[in-house]
Amino acid sequence: MTNCVATFKSINDKSFNYPPNRYKAILSLFKHADHIKTNLTSTRRTLINMIKSFQTLTTTVTSLISTTNTQSNNLRMSDYNKIIQLWFKAYLRVKDAFVFTESGECRHKKDKENASSKLNHYKSNLTRCGMQGDGYTKYWKGSHYSGYGWDEYYGSVVGLRSRLSHFMGSENRVEKVMSRSDFNAMMDLHEVEYKESGDRMKWIVERFKRDVEDGFGMEDGKRVGRVWIKEEDKQESMVVEVNNSVKGYMKLSLQRLGSNYKLPENEGVMGNGEDEDWDKKWVMEDCVGGGETKYEEEG
């Protein structure tokens, strides 16, 4: 694997010949690019592992809410409430992991601490980008960013690519380095796998809705259970309503409510990275807050 720093040094000696001060500034930016390459690759792999495990969790949850189980097991509606809340909390974590991978936005205390730590030598520039053309909308609205999200390189104005183009004098020179190193190839692979992960996540959510509604079965030709999920970022919500002659009535309303969804203080959204055992993680009470919950039960 050829890193950006070594590639730049090789090309500079032969053709660029930047003066010392500019050379030093450019070299620092390429070091940040290598930092992005290493950490974004690991983050993407963690995200893929997380989604695979989340799919397994979804299968487990929906199998518990099957027509056969609903009729014959000893679970009360309050038990289904707990099971569905577990799924929703895991769902929110995966959603935040997608955001962390794309922009690097840190929404949880541990990630924010890591981003602002003195040990982090490659802090994000995204918070330095001002307002858009309308004068009041920020390009990036988060308070902390990891410094190695996709946007850290491709982001307009303050993204690493834009800054490299400024210091090197042209985009072509930047691309010459990036194409000769393995950076562009890594980012191309990242783009493909990130999109595949997004498509898979959409499929899992649709499958959850379908299987939960199917699982609670039919009575008098009508569905016993209905599921509604709103997926707008930071405004996610879910309503599950069930009216079953065997188990009774339940209406569960779950809402994220912006920053009210929190992980424990020592827990970053990506957990222990590629080494995290997500199958074990989901069954723990890994959230100290999940927004607002409303629960009704009869029977």
Side-chain angles (χ1 to χ4, degrees), residues 35-280:
H35 176 74
I36 291 173
K37 180 184 68 175
T38 299
N39 287 279
L40 187 57
T41 297
S42 179
T43 300
R44 182 182 74 254
R45 290 171 179 167
T46 302
L47 177 66
I48 291 171
N49 292 340
M50 183 188 295
I51 293 169
K52 288 179 181 177
S53 178
F54 181 63
Q55 182 173 341
T56 301
L57 174 69
T58 300
T59 301
T60 301
V61 168
T62 55
S63 68
L64 287 170
I65 308 174
S66 68
T67 302
T68 302
N69 285 338
T70 316
Q71 301 293 335
S72 62
N73 64 29
N74 294 319
L75 294 178
R76 290 174 51 83
M77 281 299 188
S78 57
D79 296 317
Y80 292 115
N81 164 32
K82 295 176 183 178
I83 293 168
I84 293 168
Q85 283 196 59
L86 172 68
W87 184 91
F88 186 67
K89 289 179 179 180
Y91 162 77
L92 292 180
R93 185 165 188 159
V94 179
K95 289 287 296 290
D96 279 0
F98 270 99
V99 172
F100 185 84
T101 305
E102 182 171 1
S103 68
E105 182 184 350
C106 302
R107 294 180 168 178
H108 301 280
K109 184 175 180 179
K110 184 62 176 179
D111 293 321
K112 291 178 181 179
E113 290 175 350
N114 290 339
S116 58
S117 170
K118 292 181 179 179
L119 299 177
N120 178 12
H121 301 298
Y122 302 101
K123 290 183 171 60
S124 175
N125 273 270
L126 298 184
T127 54
R128 300 180 185 180
C129 191
M131 302 297 179
Q132 298 183 29
D134 58 17
Y136 60 87
T137 304
K138 288 184 177 181
Y139 281 94
W140 287 275
K141 299 179 181 180
S143 62
H144 295 75
Y145 291 85
S146 67
Y148 52 84
W150 171 271
D151 289 347
E152 197 67 44
Y153 182 71
Y154 284 111
S156 60
V157 186
V158 295
L160 201 60
R161 188 184 189 190
S162 295
R163 288 184 289 141
L164 278 167
S165 297
H166 170 74
F167 279 102
M168 297 183 75
S170 75
E171 242 181 59
N172 289 337
R173 289 190 168 192
V174 178
E175 288 305 301
K176 187 173 184 179
V177 175
M178 294 311 198
S179 60
R180 291 191 184 183
S181 71
D182 55 3
F183 187 89
N184 278 356
M186 184 282 291
M187 293 299 262
D188 289 343
L189 176 62
H190 177 90
E191 188 172 20
V192 170
E193 293 190 345
Y194 184 81
K195 183 181 183 304
E196 289 174 348
S197 297
D199 291 342
R200 187 172 191 176
M201 183 64 176
K202 289 178 183 177
W203 179 85
I204 293 171
V205 173
E206 287 302 315
R207 174 188 167 182
F208 173 82
K209 291 165 61 179
R210 180 200 68 202
D211 287 358
V212 168
E213 290 183 347
D214 289 348
F216 278 113
M218 307 274 290
E219 290 185 1
D220 300 324
K222 298 179 180 179
R223 287 187 179 277
V224 169
R226 296 300 304 271
V227 179
W228 297 269
I229 298 178
K230 178 183 176 182
E231 298 198 63
E232 181 181 350
D233 186 42
K234 298 194 86 171
Q235 298 298 321
E236 295 93 344
S237 63
M238 178 167 70
V239 176
V240 179
E241 188 171 19
V242 182
N243 194 355
N244 185 301
S245 61
V246 177
K247 298 291 185 179
Y249 174 82
M250 174 188 79
K251 183 176 182 180
L252 175 64
S253 301
L254 299 168
Q255 298 182 62
R256 179 192 180 113
L257 296 181
S259 300
N260 286 353
Y261 167 68
K262 298 177 182 178
L263 298 175
E265 293 188 354
N266 64 343
E267 185 85 20
V269 71
M270 308 308 285
N272 291 320
E274 295 179 64
D275 296 326
E276 184 62 76
D277 186 342
W278 294 105
D279 290 342
K280 290 183 179 179

